Amino acid sequence: MILQYSRVLIKRCNCPLKSSSGRLFSSKREHHDVVIVGGGVAGLTMAKQIQQQCPRFSVVLLERGSRPKLDIEDDERKIPNPRSYALSPKSLNLLKDAVAQNQSESRFAYYNSMQIWEASSPAMLVFSSHDLEESDHLGAFVEDSVLVKSLWNYLQECEGKGNSNLSLHTNVSLYSLDVESDRVNLKISKINEENKIMKELSTDLLIAADGARSPIRSQLGIPFQGIEYGRTAVTFTVEVDEHFLHNTRAYQRFLSNGPIALLPTFSKRHFVVVWSTTPQEAEKLKSMAPADLVQQLNNTLQRGPERLAPLFEESSSAGGTSLFNNLAYGIDRLLDTVHYGMGMRHWSDDPAKFVAPPQITNVASARFAFPLSCKVVPQFQYRRRVALLGDAAHTVHPLAGQGLNLGLDDVEVLTEILRKSHDAGMEAGQFLDEYQKDRQVKIPAMVGGIHTIHSLFGNKSVPLLHGKSIGMSLINQGGLLRKQLAKIATGL
């Protein structure tokens, strides 16, 4: 990064992003109100929102890959892709127009309950749609490819209209980035079979939606602070017993090395597994024979709530059983009574009762792995000219299913701020400080909360295990607290 007077000049930003649209590569510099870099779900949703709510702003979206095929192949129709997201009711509402237009809702797996329990503990926690007044479901699981195709198709139809303020460009490389006090200058390139064609753009606001490894964030020198967990998530699709009836419930069990989740899909015969564990164990899971993996999955998921280790270690004295041992034994038996008395209340017709997960019969897809981290930027905007969005601004552990939801919440907040500028006839980034203030409070709080949950369940202290067990049982039986937690988790 080189400081020159009032501007920041960034040379040779190696963020490959390429354009199949010929009109972008004329010799004349083009100016646009907003340029979005990144054609994932967050970037595409941001383009959709600006196109709808800020029609005076001209918007360009740059994506390094090709435009997706908008039809779903036959093999994709049968087996759900494990690269999926948990969408909250709030996120679903943001996407509903693009989903409805493309009739892709049949690929959405709406779920009405989430069951959580821990290894070596009798307690469990079940959130259900009965805890919500504003929604009939807790959310939906949906494949990334379905969301991307729906949004691309929606935006392409908007782009095709003569009065559209939107331009979509794929196969584009961002060659250099120059942030000045009054604009951002971009140099982009298109590589055809014979040579590279360069083009210069300028914009009032650059939105970086270019992922967790954001080249724009890196080139601007914005740190990405947080924790590498030293854990890896392995995800894949499995086939389950055809007689299983509870495919509207999601399951998550906390193990010693991390949680394992079993998530419903649009197919009644398929669930998606997300297993967080050590890198060494992840490699074993990836290479394990399918039959052995199925057996290990069933052995792990079919085990329900279990007895806790005694709070006090037994000890013997030369003269026989001591008074302390008798007292410790009595306390442990009392705790057993409390744990199991509270736990037995779940085995009823109440929606919060424990339901055994389905028996897995087959591994139905390839296995993918990705490292886990919890990171957030200290600044979400740069000089009122650049805004960071989605994974470019924060990453979280998948245990709470909030990754994409946080990114879509960024979109909603930024849309409101841009609309304020738009309606006042001002430049797009005029009120970007408000985006910074909002995100600087809400995102670290949510990321910190998810990290706290991860740390809490990762702590194997016996006294803490007893405390967690009683706490989870109290939450599960206490309607008001459980309902409040369900609202927070679903963004309502």
Side-chain angles (χ1 to χ4, degrees), residues 406-475:
L406 288 179
L408 293 178
D409 194 52
D410 292 342
V411 170
E412 276 205 303
V413 172
L414 187 54
T415 300
E416 287 300 313
I417 290 167
L418 294 183
R419 187 167 64 179
K420 182 178 178 180
S421 301
H422 174 273
D423 293 349
M426 306 174 80
E427 287 187 352
Q430 188 65 35
F431 300 107
L432 213 52
D433 287 341
E434 295 182 18
Y435 178 68
Q436 169 70 21
K437 291 177 182 177
D438 184 281
R439 300 291 82 189
Q440 201 168 29
V441 172
K442 294 180 181 177
I443 294 298
M446 179 63 79
V447 171
I450 294 170
H451 175 66
T452 299
I453 293 172
H454 175 269
S455 301
L456 185 64
F457 279 98
N459 192 316
K460 300 308 174 186
S461 162
V462 173
L464 183 60
L465 287 172
H466 280 267
K468 281 190 297 181
S469 178
I470 293 174
M472 286 177 66
S473 294
L474 287 173
I475 291 172

Side-chain angles (χ1 to χ4, degrees), residues 278-337:
T278 63
Q280 296 79 11
E281 185 65 23
E283 285 301 318
K284 293 180 182 178
L285 294 174
K286 286 176 63 179
S287 60
M288 192 177 291
D292 294 336
L293 181 56
V294 166
Q295 182 176 356
Q296 184 161 343
L297 286 166
N298 286 325
N299 289 343
T300 301
L301 289 166
Q302 291 300 315
R303 297 175 65 180
E306 300 174 347
R307 181 179 180 179
L308 275 168
L311 183 61
F312 298 100
E313 295 265 345
E314 289 189 17
S315 62
S316 59
S317 62
T321 305
S322 67
L323 177 63
F324 174 79
N325 282 344
N326 285 332
L327 180 60
Y329 179 82
I331 293 174
D332 277 328
R333 299 292 72 75
L334 177 61
L335 285 172
D336 279 347
T337 302

